[in-house]
Amino acid sequence: MATTTPTKPFLSRTWDYITDTQVWKSVFRHGMPNNSRNRVLVVFSNVFLHLHPVKIRKSGIRLKFTWCMGGLTFFLFLVETFTGLLLMFYYRPTVAYAYMDIIDLAEQVPLGVMRELHRWGAHAMVISVWLHMFRVFMTGSYKPPREFNWNVGVILLVLTLLLSFTGYLLPWDQLAIWAITVGSNMARATPLLGHEGPGAQLLALGDVPMVHAGSDARFALLGGRFVGEGALLRFYVLHCVGIPLVAGILMAVHFWRVRKDGGISGPV
Amino acid sequence: MAAVDILKDVVNLLTKPWLFITLSSIVFFVALPRPSFWRPRLWLALGVGGAAFLAVSMLDPDFGLIVRKPDNVPIVAMLFLVGFFVWLSMYQAHQNDARIAAGQKPMEASEGEDQKTWVWPDLVYTELLCMVIGTIVLVAWGIAFQAPIEEPANPARTPNPSKAPWYFLGLQEMLVYYDPWLAGVVFPSLIIVGLMAIPYIDTNPKGNGYFTFRERRTEITFFLFGFLILWVLLVILGTFLRGPNWNFFGPYEYWDLHKLEALVNVNLSEYVWVKTLGTRLPSNMLVRELPGILLVLVYVGVLPGLLMRSDRVAGLPIGLKRFYDKMGFFRYSVFVMLLLGMVALPIKMILRWTANLKYIIAMPEIFFNI
């Protein structure tokens, strides 16, 4: 009669109760990942974690080797998606509204720091993607079998720059339109396809030029002869839908190929 | 006060594009292969010195005005980040080279490092930590600096200077030396194509998956020259040192709208016909530009073949025979074209600085200037 079962502390009992409910068990199919079996299961059974292998070489997770710049770039992409989504609630991409919507965002929206996060996050993403490429180059990680994934990475780098470039126009202030004017003026000089590019004059039917200010590469980019209503809408659609979609698909390919090409690179 | 002014004048002088780029290139080529240059203490001192220089310079109103622009803050941060990571990679590369020379494996493959560890918790916690730190930095940055908004867009009033977004300022800086069709279209395309071609041109099987310099001396030198000198340095030049009318202004110089720069640049055709032969420029465009056309044809048509024949050309160690032998004809052709494209920029820079050369081929009639 003298033996009493030692009662567990309250918190521990509560934890046991929660993890024993049907709701908990329907979400998590395994116990705490503190033994080998569960550490395998946690990676296998989680859609986000299953990008990873179950085990990884020690040097492959050391920050001094990896710098975490690729991961940081992806994280910043998610930050940009989230903050961008919130900004879309307030912003209308027309010449009449765009600028005032940005002013309202700063002055009327309580605790509004989303535009700051979005803009600084964009700058940070450009830098982190450069540093990621730099690390990959310096460790020779583009060498076989990872040649193709390096190429996907180069395209993602270009898309990152284009994402930032298209977003630059949206506040519709002096900085925005003139930066895009300077940037898109280059397209005017595209060989053959720009109306001030070498060779464009060759593309003419008799006296009628086929490539002129109203039909050249710059016009296609801006949807007009100058940075105006058409350019704003084009850049908005590309910035919010077009480029993120392509970048998202390529990111999936990029991460998939990291795994398929043997995981993070290391000495053989 | 006078001493400070002299110091400012010296810095203003040192940052003049020709001196800035030349000095940086010399430091680059001297430092890269020398392990002693990558000692942690030296770079710690450089970092602290750089930060101190920045802090003290903020007292100068003209310097502070440009550096404190909210959009320029990330570029200052990038400067320190690129410096840090260049050091980190080169330091580890030279460490690995010493290990390999002593018959050991690189650090990444050393005892214990080559063993496997659990992704949960070791990797996922690292990732979580990176995300948390990233979030904290971003939120602090967002609270400290408001996102800039200028006056409403006004197509009738062009700001001076009009600058492209900061990451394209390297390209805008190239416009000083080349026309838009090259600097804005062909070179950017070549950069992208060139980056994509790297894994197929570089046939060196060594240095796959670890930092090393000695095993990949040439690849790293080419890539870093492009990345650091022709990209990052030109971005810095375009951001901080280019003012109204894209004129050069030292970091402590007032951005004077009325600064006069003499336009003394001369085309090659004028050098040949007027200055050397003492005649007038021929009226026929193709005859007038014949010297330039021949020069460019030699550059892209004859030079690759010449460089391929031996390792030394005209006594200089610039021959590419060893690459041709390794790569074969097709890879070599792609490589040499990309290389000549990349070197075209420094070549034009030097010609501009030393001989005031404007265009090698100048055919504004058909928008074809090189």
Side-chain angles (χ1 to χ4, degrees), chain B residues 173-227:
Chain B
E173 179 63 22
M174 271 198 249
L175 283 175
V176 174
Y177 306 98
Y178 282 105
D179 266 21
W181 75 274
L182 278 169
V185 183
V186 174
F187 285 157
S189 313
L190 274 183
I191 294 172
I192 297 168
V193 173
L195 283 174
M196 292 175 90
I198 285 176
Y200 306 101
I201 295 175
D202 176 9
T203 52
N204 179 4
K206 287 183 183 171
N208 186 346
Y210 52 94
F211 291 104
T212 170
F213 178 73
R214 211 173 287 164
E215 293 181 355
R216 303 171 57 215
R217 193 183 284 267
T218 324
E219 298 104 291
I220 288 179
T221 308
F222 281 140
F223 181 84
L224 278 192
F225 182 75
F227 181 58

Side-chain angles (χ1 to χ4, degrees), chain B residues 83-104:
Chain B
F84 172 75
F85 283 112
V86 167
W87 165 74
L88 186 61
S89 58
M90 286 308 294
Y91 175 61
Q92 297 190 84
H94 283 302
Q95 272 190 323
N96 272 348
D97 287 347
R99 291 178 66 101
I100 293 165
Q104 291 170 297

Side-chain angles (χ1 to χ4, degrees), chain A residues 33-37 39-40 42-43 49 52-69 72 75-76 79-80 99 102-103 106 113 115-117 119-124 126-127 130-131 133-148 150-152 154-155 157-158 160-166 168 171-180 182-183 185-187 189-191 195-201 226-227 265-268, chain B residues 69-71 74-75 77-78 81-82 85-86 88-90 92-93 95 106-109 112-124 126-127 130-132 134-135 138-143 145-159 162-168 172 175 180-186 191-192 194-200 202-212 215-216 219-220 223-224 227-228 231-232 235 365-368:
Chain A
N34 48 15
N35 57 45
S36 299
R37 188 187 127 82
R39 281 173 175 174
V40 172
V42 71
V43 174
L49 292 180
H52 296 116
V54 169
K55 290 189 118 188
I56 191 165
R57 233 185 27 262
K58 266 188 185 160
S59 69
I61 62 168
R62 280 224 196 287
L63 275 182
K64 68 171 178 174
F65 297 138
T66 68
W67 308 356
C68 202
M69 280 301 160
L72 219 48
F75 171 65
L76 285 166
V79 170
E80 293 301 287
Y99 182 75
I102 299 288
I103 296 286
V113 77
R115 192 164 96 83
E116 277 70 22
L117 294 188
R119 194 179 185 98
W120 305 143
H123 287 332
V126 170
I127 296 171
W130 285 357
L131 291 175
M133 179 186 72
F134 178 55
R135 197 279 297 170
V136 169
F137 182 89
M138 290 303 282
T139 51
S141 305
Y142 57 81
K143 298 188 177 203
R146 296 183 178 81
E147 308 101 305
F148 175 71
W150 166 268
N151 277 277
V152 176
V154 171
I155 298 172
L157 166 84
V158 175
T160 306
L161 295 180
L162 288 181
L163 268 173
S164 180
F165 184 68
T166 48
Y168 223 81
W172 204 247
D173 61 346
Q174 280 288 70
L175 188 69
I177 68 157
W178 289 102
I180 303 307
V182 171
N185 270 347
M186 301 294 135
T190 314
H195 76 280
E196 286 180 7
Q201 286 157 326
F226 55 89
V227 180
S265 68
V268 260
Chain B
K69 266 179 80 170
D71 270 327
I75 312 174
M78 178 193 70
L81 281 173
V82 167
F85 283 112
V86 167
L88 186 61
S89 58
M90 286 308 294
Q92 297 190 84
Q95 272 190 323
M107 284 177 295
E108 289 90 329
E113 289 297 307
D114 51 349
Q115 282 175 357
K116 295 227 169 176
T117 182
W118 289 105
V119 160
W120 185 295
D122 292 353
L123 177 58
V124 286
T126 312
E127 288 172 342
C130 279
M131 281 197 276
V132 170
T135 311
L138 208 56
V139 171
W141 187 2
I143 293 170
F145 292 95
Q146 224 187 350
I149 183 90
E150 295 189 357
E151 294 159 47
N154 181 356
R157 208 175 62 78
T158 314
S162 290
K163 290 191 178 184
W166 65 270
Y167 37 80
F168 287 151
Q172 204 175 345
L175 283 175
W181 75 274
L182 278 169
V185 183
V186 174
I191 294 172
I192 297 168
L195 283 174
M196 292 175 90
I198 285 176
Y200 306 101
D202 176 9
T203 52
N204 179 4
K206 287 183 183 171
N208 186 346
Y210 52 94
F211 291 104
T212 170
E215 293 181 355
R216 303 171 57 215
E219 298 104 291
I220 288 179
F223 181 84
L224 278 192
F227 181 58
L228 294 177
W231 190 256
V232 175
V235 167
E365 296 92 333
I366 56 165
F367 302 113
F368 189 81

